[in-house]
Amino acid sequence: MQEYLMMKRMSGFKYETEARMMEMFDQYCFDTGFNGNGLNDELVNNFCYGIHYEKASTRYKKEKLLRGLAEYLCNVGYASYICPVKSAPPKQTCIPYIFSEKELSLFFQAADHYPPHPLSNRHLVDRLMFRMIYGCGLRLSEALNLKLKDVDIVEGTVTILQSKNNRDRKIPMATSLVNRSITLNKEIHIFSDENTYYFKSPLNRRLDRSTAYRRFREYLWSAGIPHSGHGPRIHDLRHSYCVNRLKKWVLDGKDITNLFPYLSVYLGHADFRGTQYYLRLTADLYPDIISKTEATLGYVIPEGRFP
């Protein structure tokens, strides 16, 4: 088990949740008196399906973990039962919400006008955090995990470490974001060390995801932007950044084929497939713009449209 976890981590996977589940399986093997060198179907099935009230998502994680372990054991010479993966939850498709320029302006104004409170730094943190998510195309987790040392106000960059796909990247900030970062440093980071979370809570802890989402919903309400229960989401700020960037490039007559790889790296995508999603989305939202440069973009934008 330890060798398998080491192999996965050396391949670039974090495997933190999987490691905790492997500890559970190790304890289960001990409790049941199992001492074989390979996995058998009875052991695997009892561990995966023995608890009747478990969620399908938990069973799915167990299946994937033990399937991978079994394949590894077979490769090193121990015959093992390879568990079928049959509990995968239905894939949910979220339709991205693209904010208009007016909606973005109203949203940021709502964050700017949130009243100060002596026991909270929300009015200081949120007005930069949500702007940085949009202006740098960040995922929420990337913003929340930022530390003081990751925001370089001299160089004007944000460094993202071990994000999705275990990738690192350095992102240049607009001058307006740099200036706001300088202000935030003076307001809440005068006595912070370099490992302090950049968007910290009043107790110097990492801001919680649920707290960020609650505040986001409140700013939407204040800005008069309706929420359907399925969106807009914080991640839609990242979607909006990408679409608006591609739209601007097209209107400015830029060569998309040359700029496309830069956007892919900027967003932290493992390959171009993730970035092509935004090309299709931009084409669907602004067909009149794309049609003007169809000769240039025709072979870049993949076939297919959103429902």
Side-chain angles (χ1 to χ4, degrees):
M1 292 181 189
Q2 291 175 346
E3 290 173 358
Y4 174 66
L5 289 175
M6 186 182 299
M7 179 195 71
K8 299 299 287 187
R9 285 169 174 164
M10 290 178 67
S11 300
F13 297 95
K14 293 183 179 179
Y15 253 57
E16 294 172 354
T17 303
E18 292 83 353
R20 290 192 291 271
M21 189 165 283
M22 190 74 84
E23 289 178 2
M24 292 170 53
F25 180 61
D26 182 43
Q27 185 64 46
Y28 179 79
C29 292
F30 177 79
D31 293 342
T32 57
F34 179 78
N35 59 3
N37 290 326
L39 305 183
N40 59 53
D41 57 349
E42 181 181 3
L43 177 75
V44 171
N45 289 330
N46 286 341
F47 179 72
C48 289
Y49 313 114
I51 302 176
H52 300 293
Y53 56 82
E54 265 186 345
K55 295 180 181 179
S57 58
T58 303
R59 293 181 176 179
Y60 175 60
K61 291 174 184 176
K62 288 181 174 181
E63 290 169 351
K64 288 206 305 178
L65 179 68
L66 295 192
R67 182 180 180 87
L69 177 61
E71 290 174 343
Y72 173 75
L73 288 170
C74 289
N75 287 336
V76 296
Y78 299 112
S80 294
Y81 169 72
I82 297 179
C83 176
V85 178
K86 56 186 180 182
S87 302
K91 198 167 185 179
Q92 296 182 349
T93 302
C94 295
I95 299 175
Y97 184 94
I98 305 302
F99 290 90
S100 67
E101 291 185 10
K102 182 178 180 180
E103 287 176 328
L104 286 170
S105 176
L106 291 172
F107 176 83
F108 293 133
Q109 285 179 36
D112 290 343
H113 294 150
Y114 188 83
H117 190 280
L119 299 179
S120 173
N121 62 5
R122 169 178 175 174
H123 62 291
L124 302 172
V125 167
D126 289 3
R127 61 193 184 193
L128 173 59
M129 181 178 72
F130 289 114
R131 278 185 171 89
M132 191 175 287
I133 289 174
Y134 172 74
C136 295
L138 300 183
R139 304 174 178 95
L140 174 59
S141 59
E142 293 172 345
L144 296 181
N145 287 329
L146 282 175
K147 295 186 177 179
L148 182 57
K149 63 183 178 182
D150 300 326
V151 181
D152 190 330
I153 57 176
V154 176
E155 190 179 48
T157 59
V158 174
T159 301
I160 307 298
L161 299 174
Q162 294 185 321
S163 186
K164 189 175 181 180
N165 304 312
N166 210 28
R167 299 174 71 87
D168 302 340
R169 68 188 192 278
K170 182 176 287 189
I171 302 172
M173 290 189 289
T175 303
S176 59
L177 285 178
V178 175
N179 292 335
R180 287 180 178 273
S181 298
I182 293 172
T183 301
L184 185 70
N185 288 1
K186 294 177 181 178
E187 290 173 330
I188 70 172
H189 286 301
I190 295 177
F191 303 108
S192 301
D193 63 52
E194 64 176 9
N195 290 311
T196 301
Y197 284 108
Y198 196 66
F199 299 116
K200 64 178 182 176
S201 72
L203 299 176
N204 287 332
R205 297 173 182 167
R206 178 184 181 274
L207 194 65
D208 186 75
R209 288 179 66 94
S210 60
T211 300
Y213 268 105
R214 175 177 54 80
R215 295 178 182 179
F216 175 74
R217 290 284 297 273
E218 289 179 15
Y219 298 138
L220 288 178
W221 177 266
S222 298
I225 302 173
H227 191 283
S228 66
H230 300 286
R233 305 161 300 151
I234 293 179
H235 200 69
D236 288 323
L237 291 172
R238 174 177 160 97
H239 289 325
S240 299
Y241 164 78
C242 297
V243 169
N244 289 337
R245 172 48 51 196
L246 288 168
K247 175 187 173 185
K248 188 176 188 306
W249 281 343
V250 172
L251 291 176
D252 290 347
K254 303 292 185 181
D255 188 343
I256 300 294
T257 56
N258 286 335
L259 294 173
F260 189 71
Y262 290 96
L263 181 61
S264 185
V265 172
Y266 193 88
L267 296 172
H269 287 157
D271 52 46
F272 288 163
R273 288 175 296 179
T275 320
Q276 283 175 340
Y277 170 82
Y278 295 111
L279 280 172
R280 297 204 320 270
L281 184 57
T282 305
D284 283 348
L285 291 174
Y286 303 104
D288 54 327
I289 293 176
I290 299 300
S291 63
K292 295 176 184 178
T293 55
E294 195 171 27
T296 304
L297 299 177
Y299 70 95
V300 178
I301 300 176
E303 293 293 330
R305 290 288 185 266
F306 292 109

